[in-house]
Amino acid sequence: MKVKEIKYLTSPTDRINDCLDIFVVLEDNYCTNDLVEVTTPQFISAVMKKSKSDFLEPGYPYIIVSKLTDEIIQAAIQAYIDTEDDSYWLKLYHIVPTLDIEDINEILYRKKQENIELEAKIDAKIELDLDEE
Protein backbone atom coordinates (compact mmCIF):
# COMPACT_ATOMS: atom_id res chain seq x y z
CA MET A 1 0.00 0.00 0.00
CA LYS A 2 1.31 3.47 -0.85
CA VAL A 3 0.48 7.07 0.04
CA LYS A 4 -1.62 8.58 -2.73
CA GLU A 5 -2.03 12.06 -1.29
CA ILE A 6 -1.42 14.15 1.79
CA LYS A 7 -3.94 16.89 2.52
CA TYR A 8 -3.10 19.58 5.04
CA LEU A 9 -5.81 20.86 7.34
CA THR A 10 -3.72 24.04 7.62
CA SER A 11 -0.49 24.98 5.89
CA PRO A 12 2.72 24.89 7.92
CA THR A 13 3.85 28.25 9.25
CA ASP A 14 7.27 27.02 10.32
CA ARG A 15 8.74 23.89 8.71
CA ILE A 16 11.12 23.31 11.66
CA ASN A 17 8.94 24.21 14.66
CA ASP A 18 5.29 23.40 14.03
CA CYS A 19 2.61 20.75 14.26
CA LEU A 20 0.23 19.81 11.44
CA ASP A 21 -2.99 17.88 11.19
CA ILE A 22 -3.06 16.07 7.89
CA PHE A 23 -5.37 13.72 6.05
CA VAL A 24 -3.67 10.71 4.55
CA VAL A 25 -5.18 9.19 1.43
CA LEU A 26 -3.78 5.83 0.41
CA GLU A 27 -3.90 4.26 -3.03
CA ASP A 28 -6.84 2.12 -1.94
CA ASN A 29 -8.49 5.24 -0.43
CA TYR A 30 -8.11 3.82 3.10
CA CYS A 31 -7.80 6.42 5.90
CA THR A 32 -9.49 9.23 4.02
CA ASN A 33 -11.54 10.40 7.02
CA ASP A 34 -8.85 10.29 9.68
CA LEU A 35 -6.26 12.78 10.75
CA VAL A 36 -2.64 12.15 11.57
CA GLU A 37 -0.74 14.70 13.62
CA VAL A 38 2.80 15.34 12.40
CA THR A 39 5.25 17.47 14.34
CA THR A 40 8.93 18.24 14.81
CA PRO A 41 11.21 17.75 17.83
CA GLN A 42 11.56 21.53 18.10
CA PHE A 43 7.79 21.90 18.43
CA ILE A 44 7.68 19.26 21.16
CA SER A 45 10.49 21.07 22.97
CA ALA A 46 8.61 24.37 22.66
CA VAL A 47 5.46 22.76 24.09
CA MET A 48 7.42 21.45 27.08
CA LYS A 49 9.03 24.85 27.66
CA LYS A 50 5.68 26.60 27.41
CA SER A 51 4.14 24.23 29.96
CA LYS A 52 7.33 24.38 32.08
CA SER A 53 7.62 20.60 31.98
CA ASP A 54 10.56 18.24 31.63
CA PHE A 55 8.46 15.81 29.59
CA LEU A 56 5.69 15.77 27.01
CA GLU A 57 2.32 15.41 28.67
CA PRO A 58 0.20 12.45 27.54
CA GLY A 59 -1.96 13.24 24.56
CA TYR A 60 -2.62 12.62 20.93
CA PRO A 61 0.11 10.49 19.30
CA TYR A 62 2.45 12.38 17.00
CA ILE A 63 4.41 11.24 14.00
CA ILE A 64 7.70 13.06 14.51
CA VAL A 65 9.75 14.34 11.58
CA SER A 66 12.85 16.51 11.31
CA LYS A 67 11.19 19.02 9.01
CA LEU A 68 7.63 19.54 7.77
CA THR A 69 8.08 18.95 4.06
CA ASP A 70 5.87 16.86 1.78
CA GLU A 71 8.71 14.46 1.03
CA ILE A 72 9.65 13.83 4.68
CA ILE A 73 6.04 13.56 5.84
CA GLN A 74 5.20 11.15 3.03
CA ALA A 75 8.29 9.03 3.79
CA ALA A 76 7.40 8.93 7.51
CA ILE A 77 3.82 7.89 6.83
CA GLN A 78 5.00 5.29 4.33
CA ALA A 79 7.24 3.86 7.07
CA TYR A 80 4.14 3.49 9.28
CA ILE A 81 2.46 1.64 6.40
CA ASP A 82 5.39 -0.62 5.46
CA THR A 83 5.34 -2.65 8.65
CA GLU A 84 5.06 -6.42 8.41
CA ASP A 85 1.72 -6.41 10.23
CA ASP A 86 -0.67 -4.92 7.67
CA SER A 87 0.04 -1.22 8.35
CA TYR A 88 -0.18 -1.81 12.11
CA TRP A 89 1.37 1.50 13.19
CA LEU A 90 -0.64 3.71 10.85
CA LYS A 91 -3.84 1.95 11.90
CA LEU A 92 -2.88 2.32 15.55
CA TYR A 93 -2.28 6.06 15.15
CA HIS A 94 -5.66 6.39 13.45
CA ILE A 95 -7.66 4.41 16.00
CA VAL A 96 -6.12 5.49 19.33
CA PRO A 97 -7.70 8.98 19.46
CA THR A 98 -11.15 7.50 18.80
CA LEU A 99 -11.04 5.07 21.73
CA ASP A 100 -12.70 5.91 25.01
CA ILE A 101 -11.76 4.32 28.32
CA GLU A 102 -14.50 1.70 28.01
CA ASP A 103 -13.05 0.58 24.65
CA ILE A 104 -9.56 0.39 26.14
CA ASN A 105 -10.76 -1.54 29.19
CA GLU A 106 -12.64 -3.99 26.94
CA ILE A 107 -9.54 -4.58 24.81
CA LEU A 108 -7.37 -5.04 27.90
CA TYR A 109 -9.88 -7.46 29.42
CA ARG A 110 -10.00 -9.50 26.20
CA LYS A 111 -6.19 -9.62 26.06
CA LYS A 112 -6.04 -10.64 29.72
CA GLN A 113 -8.47 -13.50 29.01
CA GLU A 114 -6.40 -14.57 25.99
CA ASN A 115 -3.27 -14.61 28.18
CA ILE A 116 -5.03 -16.67 30.85
CA GLU A 117 -6.07 -19.20 28.19
CA LEU A 118 -2.57 -19.28 26.73
CA GLU A 119 -1.00 -19.81 30.16
CA ALA A 120 -3.43 -22.66 30.83
CA LYS A 121 -2.46 -24.32 27.52
CA ILE A 122 1.24 -23.91 28.30
CA ASP A 123 0.79 -25.30 31.82
CA ALA A 124 -1.18 -28.27 30.44
CA LYS A 125 1.55 -28.99 27.89
CA ILE A 126 4.27 -28.80 30.56
CA GLU A 127 2.33 -31.19 32.78
CA LEU A 128 1.78 -33.57 29.87
CA ASP A 129 5.49 -33.47 29.02
CA LEU A 130 6.40 -34.12 32.67
CA ASP A 131 3.96 -37.04 32.86
CA GLU A 132 5.52 -38.60 29.76
CA GLU A 133 9.01 -38.56 31.31
Side-chain angles (χ1 to χ4, degrees), residues 19-38:
C19 183
L20 299 175
D21 290 325
I22 61 171
F23 288 102
V24 178
V25 181
L26 303 180
E27 287 177 343
D28 67 353
N29 291 324
Y30 177 76
C31 300
T32 55
N33 296 321
D34 296 311
L35 287 172
V36 174
E37 198 159 348
V38 180

PDB file of all heavy atoms in Angstrom, residues 19-38:
ATOM      1  N   CYS A  19       3.377  21.982  14.169  1.00  0.00           N
ATOM      2  CA  CYS A  19       2.608  20.750  14.259  1.00  0.00           C
ATOM      3  C   CYS A  19       1.467  20.852  13.256  1.00  0.00           C
ATOM      4  O   CYS A  19       0.805  21.891  13.182  1.00  0.00           O
ATOM      5  CB  CYS A  19       2.065  20.606  15.679  1.00  0.00           C
ATOM      6  SG  CYS A  19       1.181  19.083  15.948  1.00  0.00           S
ATOM      7  N   LEU A  20       1.248  19.791  12.484  1.00  0.00           N
ATOM      8  CA  LEU A  20       0.226  19.814  11.442  1.00  0.00           C
ATOM      9  C   LEU A  20      -0.736  18.654  11.587  1.00  0.00           C
ATOM     10  O   LEU A  20      -0.328  17.533  11.889  1.00  0.00           O
ATOM     11  CB  LEU A  20       0.869  19.709  10.059  1.00  0.00           C
ATOM     12  CG  LEU A  20       1.829  20.797   9.634  1.00  0.00           C
ATOM     13  CD1 LEU A  20       2.437  20.437   8.291  1.00  0.00           C
ATOM     14  CD2 LEU A  20       1.098  22.132   9.544  1.00  0.00           C
ATOM     15  N   ASP A  21      -1.999  18.930  11.350  1.00  0.00           N
ATOM     16  CA  ASP A  21      -2.992  17.883  11.192  1.00  0.00           C
ATOM     17  C   ASP A  21      -3.120  17.638   9.701  1.00  0.00           C
ATOM     18  O   ASP A  21      -3.340  18.580   8.933  1.00  0.00           O
ATOM     19  CB  ASP A  21      -4.340  18.314  11.752  1.00  0.00           C
ATOM     20  CG  ASP A  21      -4.339  18.413  13.262  1.00  0.00           C
ATOM     21  OD1 ASP A  21      -3.656  17.592  13.897  1.00  0.00           O
ATOM     22  OD2 ASP A  21      -5.010  19.304  13.802  1.00  0.00           O
ATOM     23  N   ILE A  22      -2.976  16.382   9.315  1.00  0.00           N
ATOM     24  CA  ILE A  22      -3.064  16.065   7.893  1.00  0.00           C
ATOM     25  C   ILE A  22      -3.985  14.868   7.667  1.00  0.00           C
ATOM     26  O   ILE A  22      -4.129  14.005   8.529  1.00  0.00           O
ATOM     27  CB  ILE A  22      -1.679  15.771   7.273  1.00  0.00           C
ATOM     28  CG1 ILE A  22      -1.029  14.566   7.932  1.00  0.00           C
ATOM     29  CG2 ILE A  22      -0.773  16.974   7.345  1.00  0.00           C
ATOM     30  CD1 ILE A  22       0.220  14.097   7.233  1.00  0.00           C
ATOM     31  N   PHE A  23      -4.625  14.878   6.516  1.00  0.00           N
ATOM     32  CA  PHE A  23      -5.373  13.717   6.052  1.00  0.00           C
ATOM     33  C   PHE A  23      -4.441  12.900   5.187  1.00  0.00           C
ATOM     34  O   PHE A  23      -3.707  13.445   4.365  1.00  0.00           O
ATOM     35  CB  PHE A  23      -6.580  14.143   5.212  1.00  0.00           C
ATOM     36  CG  PHE A  23      -7.686  14.757   5.996  1.00  0.00           C
ATOM     37  CD1 PHE A  23      -7.865  16.132   6.003  1.00  0.00           C
ATOM     38  CD2 PHE A  23      -8.568  13.963   6.709  1.00  0.00           C
ATOM     39  CE1 PHE A  23      -8.901  16.705   6.715  1.00  0.00           C
ATOM     40  CE2 PHE A  23      -9.601  14.528   7.432  1.00  0.00           C
ATOM     41  CZ  PHE A  23      -9.767  15.896   7.437  1.00  0.00           C
ATOM     42  N   VAL A  24      -4.475  11.601   5.372  1.00  0.00           N
ATOM     43  CA  VAL A  24      -3.672  10.706   4.546  1.00  0.00           C
ATOM     44  C   VAL A  24      -4.632   9.929   3.659  1.00  0.00           C
ATOM     45  O   VAL A  24      -5.565   9.295   4.150  1.00  0.00           O
ATOM     46  CB  VAL A  24      -2.868   9.712   5.416  1.00  0.00           C
ATOM     47  CG1 VAL A  24      -2.081   8.765   4.543  1.00  0.00           C
ATOM     48  CG2 VAL A  24      -1.964  10.466   6.364  1.00  0.00           C
ATOM     49  N   VAL A  25      -4.391   9.982   2.371  1.00  0.00           N
ATOM     50  CA  VAL A  25      -5.176   9.189   1.425  1.00  0.00           C
ATOM     51  C   VAL A  25      -4.228   8.168   0.818  1.00  0.00           C
ATOM     52  O   VAL A  25      -3.191   8.525   0.263  1.00  0.00           O
ATOM     53  CB  VAL A  25      -5.801  10.072   0.317  1.00  0.00           C
ATOM     54  CG1 VAL A  25      -6.616   9.218  -0.634  1.00  0.00           C
ATOM     55  CG2 VAL A  25      -6.649  11.185   0.929  1.00  0.00           C
ATOM     56  N   LEU A  26      -4.594   6.902   0.957  1.00  0.00           N
ATOM     57  CA  LEU A  26      -3.776   5.829   0.405  1.00  0.00           C
ATOM     58  C   LEU A  26      -4.314   5.417  -0.957  1.00  0.00           C
ATOM     59  O   LEU A  26      -5.429   5.773  -1.329  1.00  0.00           O
ATOM     60  CB  LEU A  26      -3.758   4.637   1.356  1.00  0.00           C
ATOM     61  CG  LEU A  26      -3.258   4.949   2.771  1.00  0.00           C
ATOM     62  CD1 LEU A  26      -3.287   3.706   3.630  1.00  0.00           C
ATOM     63  CD2 LEU A  26      -1.878   5.559   2.742  1.00  0.00           C
ATOM     64  N   GLU A  27      -3.508   4.673  -1.684  1.00  0.00           N
ATOM     65  CA  GLU A  27      -3.904   4.256  -3.034  1.00  0.00           C
ATOM     66  C   GLU A  27      -5.242   3.539  -3.053  1.00  0.00           C
ATOM     67  O   GLU A  27      -5.997   3.657  -4.007  1.00  0.00           O
ATOM     68  CB  GLU A  27      -2.822   3.368  -3.658  1.00  0.00           C
ATOM     69  CG  GLU A  27      -1.595   4.134  -4.064  1.00  0.00           C
ATOM     70  CD  GLU A  27      -0.496   3.245  -4.604  1.00  0.00           C
ATOM     71  OE1 GLU A  27      -0.527   2.016  -4.381  1.00  0.00           O
ATOM     72  OE2 GLU A  27       0.407   3.787  -5.257  1.00  0.00           O
ATOM     73  N   ASP A  28      -5.551   2.805  -1.996  1.00  0.00           N
ATOM     74  CA  ASP A  28      -6.839   2.117  -1.944  1.00  0.00           C
ATOM     75  C   ASP A  28      -7.913   2.961  -1.256  1.00  0.00           C
ATOM     76  O   ASP A  28      -8.975   2.480  -0.911  1.00  0.00           O
ATOM     77  CB  ASP A  28      -6.696   0.770  -1.247  1.00  0.00           C
ATOM     78  CG  ASP A  28      -6.357   0.905   0.233  1.00  0.00           C
ATOM     79  OD1 ASP A  28      -6.104   2.036   0.700  1.00  0.00           O
ATOM     80  OD2 ASP A  28      -6.339  -0.126   0.908  1.00  0.00           O
ATOM     81  N   ASN A  29      -7.606   4.254  -1.049  1.00  0.00           N
ATOM     82  CA  ASN A  29      -8.491   5.239  -0.425  1.00  0.00           C
ATOM     83  C   ASN A  29      -8.792   4.938   1.042  1.00  0.00           C
ATOM     84  O   ASN A  29      -9.724   5.467   1.609  1.00  0.00           O
ATOM     85  CB  ASN A  29      -9.789   5.407  -1.222  1.00  0.00           C
ATOM     86  CG  ASN A  29      -9.538   6.069  -2.540  1.00  0.00           C
ATOM     87  OD1 ASN A  29      -8.695   6.960  -2.659  1.00  0.00           O
ATOM     88  ND2 ASN A  29     -10.250   5.638  -3.568  1.00  0.00           N
ATOM     89  N   TYR A  30      -7.983   4.081   1.668  1.00  0.00           N
ATOM     90  CA  TYR A  30      -8.109   3.824   3.098  1.00  0.00           C
ATOM     91  C   TYR A  30      -7.625   5.057   3.860  1.00  0.00           C
ATOM     92  O   TYR A  30      -6.735   5.765   3.418  1.00  0.00           O
ATOM     93  CB  TYR A  30      -7.269   2.596   3.486  1.00  0.00           C
ATOM     94  CG  TYR A  30      -7.276   2.301   4.959  1.00  0.00           C
ATOM     95  CD1 TYR A  30      -8.385   1.712   5.545  1.00  0.00           C
ATOM     96  CD2 TYR A  30      -6.198   2.632   5.748  1.00  0.00           C
ATOM     97  CE1 TYR A  30      -8.401   1.441   6.901  1.00  0.00           C
ATOM     98  CE2 TYR A  30      -6.206   2.369   7.101  1.00  0.00           C
ATOM     99  CZ  TYR A  30      -7.314   1.776   7.666  1.00  0.00           C
ATOM    100  OH  TYR A  30      -7.325   1.525   9.014  1.00  0.00           O
ATOM    101  N   CYS A  31      -8.212   5.317   5.009  1.00  0.00           N
ATOM    102  CA  CYS A  31      -7.800   6.420   5.899  1.00  0.00           C
ATOM    103  C   CYS A  31      -8.137   7.792   5.338  1.00  0.00           C
ATOM    104  O   CYS A  31      -7.454   8.758   5.626  1.00  0.00           O
ATOM    105  CB  CYS A  31      -6.302   6.365   6.212  1.00  0.00           C
ATOM    106  SG  CYS A  31      -5.771   4.871   7.028  1.00  0.00           S
ATOM    107  N   THR A  32      -9.179   7.918   4.582  1.00  0.00           N
ATOM    108  CA  THR A  32      -9.494   9.234   4.024  1.00  0.00           C
ATOM    109  C   THR A  32     -10.213  10.129   5.019  1.00  0.00           C
ATOM    110  O   THR A  32     -10.256  11.334   4.822  1.00  0.00           O
ATOM    111  CB  THR A  32     -10.359   9.098   2.757  1.00  0.00           C
ATOM    112  OG1 THR A  32     -11.521   8.334   3.076  1.00  0.00           O
ATOM    113  CG2 THR A  32      -9.596   8.458   1.636  1.00  0.00           C
ATOM    114  N   ASN A  33     -10.784   9.582   6.069  1.00  0.00           N
ATOM    115  CA  ASN A  33     -11.537  10.400   7.016  1.00  0.00           C
ATOM    116  C   ASN A  33     -10.813  10.630   8.325  1.00  0.00           C
ATOM    117  O   ASN A  33     -11.372  11.192   9.240  1.00  0.00           O
ATOM    118  CB  ASN A  33     -12.896   9.748   7.300  1.00  0.00           C
ATOM    119  CG  ASN A  33     -13.762   9.699   6.072  1.00  0.00           C
ATOM    120  OD1 ASN A  33     -13.775  10.629   5.290  1.00  0.00           O
ATOM    121  ND2 ASN A  33     -14.479   8.604   5.903  1.00  0.00           N
ATOM    122  N   ASP A  34      -9.581  10.185   8.421  1.00  0.00           N
ATOM    123  CA  ASP A  34      -8.855  10.287   9.679  1.00  0.00           C
ATOM    124  C   ASP A  34      -7.681  11.244   9.564  1.00  0.00           C
ATOM    125  O   ASP A  34      -7.065  11.367   8.518  1.00  0.00           O
ATOM    126  CB  ASP A  34      -8.347   8.911  10.107  1.00  0.00           C
ATOM    127  CG  ASP A  34      -9.492   7.968  10.401  1.00  0.00           C
ATOM    128  OD1 ASP A  34     -10.404   8.365  11.142  1.00  0.00           O
ATOM    129  OD2 ASP A  34      -9.476   6.849   9.880  1.00  0.00           O
ATOM    130  N   LEU A  35      -7.390  11.866  10.678  1.00  0.00           N
ATOM    131  CA  LEU A  35      -6.259  12.782  10.750  1.00  0.00           C
ATOM    132  C   LEU A  35      -5.058  12.091  11.357  1.00  0.00           C
ATOM    133  O   LEU A  35      -5.193  11.199  12.187  1.00  0.00           O
ATOM    134  CB  LEU A  35      -6.608  13.981  11.635  1.00  0.00           C
ATOM    135  CG  LEU A  35      -7.571  15.003  11.084  1.00  0.00           C
ATOM    136  CD1 LEU A  35      -7.936  15.996  12.170  1.00  0.00           C
ATOM    137  CD2 LEU A  35      -6.983  15.723   9.905  1.00  0.00           C
ATOM    138  N   VAL A  36      -3.896  12.539  10.940  1.00  0.00           N
ATOM    139  CA  VAL A  36      -2.639  12.155  11.571  1.00  0.00           C
ATOM    140  C   VAL A  36      -1.973  13.461  11.963  1.00  0.00           C
ATOM    141  O   VAL A  36      -1.991  14.435  11.216  1.00  0.00           O
ATOM    142  CB  VAL A  36      -1.739  11.376  10.588  1.00  0.00           C
ATOM    143  CG1 VAL A  36      -0.386  11.103  11.206  1.00  0.00           C
ATOM    144  CG2 VAL A  36      -2.401  10.081  10.166  1.00  0.00           C
ATOM    145  N   GLU A  37      -1.422  13.489  13.158  1.00  0.00           N
ATOM    146  CA  GLU A  37      -0.735  14.696  13.617  1.00  0.00           C
ATOM    147  C   GLU A  37       0.760  14.500  13.438  1.00  0.00           C
ATOM    148  O   GLU A  37       1.332  13.544  13.954  1.00  0.00           O
ATOM    149  CB  GLU A  37      -1.081  14.984  15.072  1.00  0.00           C
ATOM    150  CG  GLU A  37      -0.766  16.396  15.462  1.00  0.00           C
ATOM    151  CD  GLU A  37      -1.533  16.841  16.689  1.00  0.00           C
ATOM    152  OE1 GLU A  37      -2.466  16.161  17.123  1.00  0.00           O
ATOM    153  OE2 GLU A  37      -1.160  17.894  17.225  1.00  0.00           O
ATOM    154  N   VAL A  38       1.374  15.399  12.698  1.00  0.00           N
ATOM    155  CA  VAL A  38       2.799  15.343  12.399  1.00  0.00           C
ATOM    156  C   VAL A  38       3.457  16.575  13.015  1.00  0.00           C
ATOM    157  O   VAL A  38       2.958  17.695  12.888  1.00  0.00           O
ATOM    158  CB  VAL A  38       3.044  15.307  10.871  1.00  0.00           C
ATOM    159  CG1 VAL A  38       4.524  15.241  10.562  1.00  0.00           C
ATOM    160  CG2 VAL A  38       2.312  14.137  10.234  1.00  0.00           C
TER     161      VAL A  38
END
